[in-house]
Amino acid sequence: MNKISYPTPHIKSTPEQIAKTVLMPGDPKRAELVAKKFLDGAVLFNDVRGVSGYTGSWKGVPVSVMASGMGMPSIGIYSYELYNAFDVENIIRIGSAGSMQENVKVRDIVIGMGACTDSAYSGQFRLDGSFAPLCDFGLLEKTVNIAREKDLRFHVGNILSSDVYYDDDPDRNLLWRKMGVLAVEMEAAALYMNAARANKRALAICTVSNSLVSGEELSADERENSFGEMIELALDLALACERDKK
């Protein structure tokens, strides 16, 4: 692993300005929304390239939120720097996903136990085989318990992190669906691989914004209004992580 120091080319901050748990949406505007709507005393710690990062508190516990941008190369950069330069312990992806199964409905929450991928991201690790990107079980277990307490509609299982949004192959999603993949998004696999390499923890929690089965889709405004349950679930997970230290 390459040595890296702060500030990095993409994050102009210090470790003291960033909490040990970082929520990571793709959209910088969603990071700003989380900071202003959910966190107390949120302070901007990064705005390099317009990628917003804030630190505040949730129920008295320090929490940061920072955008990842879209796709595995982007989250690969930001998660690598957070883990290895700023000593972040937990990154919780909060994003949107497209359902690939009939029972996974729009507005449901999908928690990625594993993240399949069509990306070549794992090639850098020079493994003699295929790496299976998995979340941290401790984060997964806590999240499931919190989701049950909140009586949320959620699903746990395999998701697909794809490099392609506009796919020229109309049958590709059907093949992943046959293997029981719940939903498709574009970041989790790289996050899970970086966490594994850094010996840190990661989890992807996504709200289903559209269905590849039924064709139902939320508008941009509906997405913002429907993501509150996912955001509070992730924030309560951050709270649980901090309580475990005491």
Side-chain angles (χ1 to χ4, degrees):
M1 181 175 293
N2 295 328
K3 292 183 179 180
I4 185 170
S5 59
Y6 61 87
T8 67
H10 309 95
I11 305 175
K12 189 176 181 180
S13 186
T14 65
E16 294 76 19
Q17 294 175 294
I18 304 175
K20 295 302 182 183
T21 297
V22 176
L23 274 58
M24 186 160 272
D27 186 352
K29 289 186 177 179
R30 191 169 299 146
E32 182 181 11
L33 181 148
V34 172
K36 293 183 176 180
K37 185 175 180 179
F38 294 90
L39 297 183
D40 294 325
V43 176
L44 183 74
F45 68 77
N46 185 70
D47 197 27
V48 177
R49 295 173 178 254
V51 176
S52 306
Y54 300 84
T55 297
S57 65
W58 172 255
K59 299 179 182 178
V61 169
V63 180
S64 294
V65 57
M66 181 177 172
S68 72
M70 288 195 298
M72 282 177 276
S74 188
I75 198 171
I77 289 170
Y78 290 110
S79 61
Y80 186 97
E81 292 182 359
L82 288 171
Y83 283 139
N84 296 293
F86 297 95
D87 201 28
V88 167
E89 296 174 358
N90 312 297
I91 297 179
I92 305 165
R93 164 161 159 70
I94 49 172
S96 58
S99 167
M100 302 180 82
Q101 302 294 334
E102 290 183 6
N103 67 314
V104 181
K105 305 297 184 181
V106 169
R107 294 187 175 86
D108 285 0
I109 291 172
V110 172
I111 305 168
M113 182 165 56
C116 307
T117 186
D118 54 18
S119 170
Y121 192 88
S122 66
Q124 64 179 303
F125 301 112
R126 297 178 296 162
L127 299 168
D128 188 17
S130 298
F131 182 76
L134 300 174
C135 72
D136 176 80
F137 177 75
L139 295 182
L140 175 63
E141 184 178 38
K142 288 182 178 66
T143 304
V144 168
N145 289 338
I146 296 167
R148 285 174 174 160
E149 290 173 2
K150 292 178 175 289
D151 197 27
L152 300 179
R153 181 175 169 84
F154 69 96
H155 310 265
V156 179
N158 231 340
I159 58 178
L160 169 64
S161 298
S162 179
D163 271 347
V164 182
Y165 189 88
Y166 297 106
D167 199 327
D168 199 50
D169 183 349
D171 297 322
R172 192 188 308 272
N173 288 328
L174 177 61
L175 298 175
W176 289 108
R177 181 183 175 191
K178 287 180 178 178
M179 297 302 292
V181 173
L182 297 177
V184 57
E185 51 85 73
M186 303 187 75
E187 288 84 24
L191 173 62
Y192 288 5
M193 286 187 243
N194 278 1
R197 182 65 181 88
N199 195 27
K200 299 295 181 74
R201 306 201 298 177
L203 182 67
I205 306 172
C206 294
T207 297
V208 175
S209 59
N210 63 295
S211 172
L212 280 65
V213 181
S214 69
E216 184 181 0
E217 185 171 1
L218 299 178
S219 69
D221 289 341
E222 287 174 328
R223 290 186 186 201
E224 293 300 340
N225 294 330
S226 299
F227 286 5
E229 289 183 343
M230 170 186 64
I231 293 168
E232 290 199 15
L233 176 60
L235 287 167
D236 283 345
L237 172 59
L239 181 63
C241 290
E242 188 66 24
R243 285 174 174 169
D244 277 356
K245 295 179 182 179
K246 297 178 180 180

